Amino acid sequence: MTSSQPRSRGWVIGKLAGAPVIVTPSWFVAAVVLTILFAPTVRGFAPGLANGGVMLVAFSFVLLLFVSVFCHEAAHAFVARSRGHRVTELAMTLWGGHTAYTGTQKHPLDGALVAVVGPVTNLVLAGAFWLGFQAIPTATVPALLLYAAFFSNVFVGLFNLLPGLPLDGGQILEALVWKGTGSRRRGTVAAGWIGRVVAVGVLAWALVLPGLRGAQPTISTVVWAAIVGAFLWQGAGDAIRNARRREVVETLSVRALAGRAVPVASGTSVADAARAVTGVPDAALVVVDAAGAPLGWVDPAAAATVPPAAAGATPVDAVVVPFPPGSAVDAGLGGAALLEHLAATSAGARIVPVVERGRATGVLDVARVAAALRPS
């Protein structure tokens, strides 16, 4: 489960919670690998099956796992939407899947609920598969598939509850620390560092556990543990960096970043507009309508091209750069809400107006906002 990110590449197979369900190319890699890995189990259980039948049964297990992961992600998506987020995609990937959504979490409970519902779904599915397994009195291929689906859902559910990011348990830990300290950043950093401990623990488990049993760790187990551990370590590191970036975002303020503006009425001559801004250094000329609402800003380079003899008769509207519709920023806006507003309305504009009670009071340079996000 993730926050907003670029859309994954792959094939859209449907929509859920208003978002596309995407099967990425990497999922097919995982499907092939899992089919091959499960085939020896099927062959040992049913030695009379032909090779084609063995692979078909093994792939059936992969499909059951796909359904389980899909249900896990669907649960995330529906709860995220119920908490006010806009779900942007559900993707099936090499690592199982993820759900992406936009919107800022305002309360610790939001993240905890979105996170916990995924593993709980897997554990409920595990119970259903176990009941199906118990209903089959003989050791048959369907019984093998039901037991494998039961075991895999128990593993996925419990593994995801480990208390470290990027796992769902890490999201829950983040929410608990956030609730206890009042700081989401502290919650994310704490869960990120615990996630790194979990990553190291996965590799240690693969290396140490066989020794405790008097055996040698197999190369395949160590390789898989190293891959999973690296994935977790990277995800935990990304979470810690995101927490620091989020702290910077929270300090953003329109009042601190906005530049001064001198409003002039639409129809004012270029000469009169120039006189209005005289003595107000670094101020932008903003053309407003009769109600004081901003229409656009005067490009100094364009205004300079108007001959002095014609400046008195040329309306300032001739050298104005229109503001994109809806791009006006309230002077009290800040943090993630400011970034979301600019992303949704600025339409690539360099300058957007700042307003209070519907009247232009300043301008905001989008490049200045971007510079404020960079590490100092």
Side-chain angles (χ1 to χ4, degrees):
M1 177 186 60
T2 67
S3 57
S4 181
Q5 63 180 37
R7 178 168 163 173
S8 301
R9 289 184 295 177
W11 296 269
V12 177
I13 61 172
K15 293 192 74 175
L16 195 72
V21 179
I22 302 171
V23 179
T24 67
S26 66
W27 180 84
F28 291 96
V29 175
V32 171
V33 171
L34 290 172
T35 299
I36 294 172
L37 290 176
F38 193 61
T41 301
V42 177
R43 188 173 288 110
F45 184 83
L49 277 180
N51 288 336
V54 168
M55 299 307 290
L56 180 61
V57 171
F59 184 66
S60 298
F61 163 71
V62 173
L63 291 180
L64 283 175
L65 189 59
F66 172 88
V67 171
S68 300
V69 171
F70 176 76
C71 290
H72 177 113
E73 299 303 331
H76 282 320
F78 282 120
V79 175
R81 190 172 68 168
S82 74
R83 303 302 294 183
H85 299 287
R86 182 174 66 85
V87 182
T88 57
E89 72 172 27
L90 291 80
M92 302 296 109
T93 68
L94 176 67
W95 298 106
H98 70 250
T99 300
Y101 56 87
T102 61
T104 304
Q105 291 182 9
K106 296 179 174 61
H107 307 286
L109 183 62
D110 292 343
L113 288 176
V114 174
V116 75
V117 72
V120 167
T121 298
N122 284 119
L123 296 178
V124 170
L125 286 172
F129 285 125
W130 176 256
L131 291 176
F133 170 71
Q134 292 294 322
I136 300 177
T138 58
T140 61
V141 167
L144 171 65
L145 288 175
L146 288 169
Y147 182 80
F150 153 75
F151 180 82
S152 62
N153 273 278
V154 168
F155 176 80
V156 170
L158 295 180
F159 183 76
N160 270 282
L161 285 174
L162 290 175
L165 290 171
L167 299 173
D168 293 321
Q171 301 276 353
I172 298 169
L173 175 61
E174 175 191 37
L176 291 174
V177 176
W178 180 5
K179 178 69 175 177
T181 65
S183 169
R184 186 183 177 189
R185 182 190 67 82
R186 291 179 184 175
T188 306
V189 171
W193 278 104
I194 296 297
R196 286 178 166 175
V197 172
V198 171
V200 173
V202 168
L203 184 58
W205 167 82
L207 293 172
V208 175
L209 187 62
L212 296 177
R213 295 176 174 174
Q216 292 292 324
T218 64
I219 293 178
S220 61
T221 300
V222 172
V223 168
W224 275 107
I227 292 173
V228 172
F231 167 73
L232 294 177
W233 182 277
Q234 179 180 345
D238 289 343
I240 293 171
R241 286 186 289 274
N242 286 337
R244 291 168 181 159
R245 281 194 290 268
R246 191 163 58 236
E247 185 177 32
V248 173
V249 169
E250 289 170 357
T251 66
L252 294 178
S253 163
V254 170
R255 296 190 192 280
L257 294 171
R260 289 183 291 183
V262 174
V264 293
S266 176
T268 302
S269 71
V270 170
D272 287 342
R275 282 190 288 271
V277 82
T278 300
V280 190
D282 301 322
L285 272 170
V286 175
V287 178
V288 298
D289 62 16
L295 302 174
W297 63 285
V298 176
D299 182 355
T305 64
V306 178
T314 304
V316 75
D317 305 73
V319 290
V320 74
V321 179
F323 292 126
S327 63
V329 180
D330 188 272
L333 203 59
L338 170 60
L339 297 183
E340 290 173 8
H341 177 84
L342 292 176
T345 65
S346 65
R350 174 190 154 197
I351 302 290
V352 296
V354 176
V355 297
E356 289 190 71
R357 300 183 186 89
R359 302 181 70 88
T361 59
V363 291
L364 186 63
D365 189 329
V366 176
R368 189 175 182 188
V369 177
L373 292 172
R374 299 190 192 104
S376 55

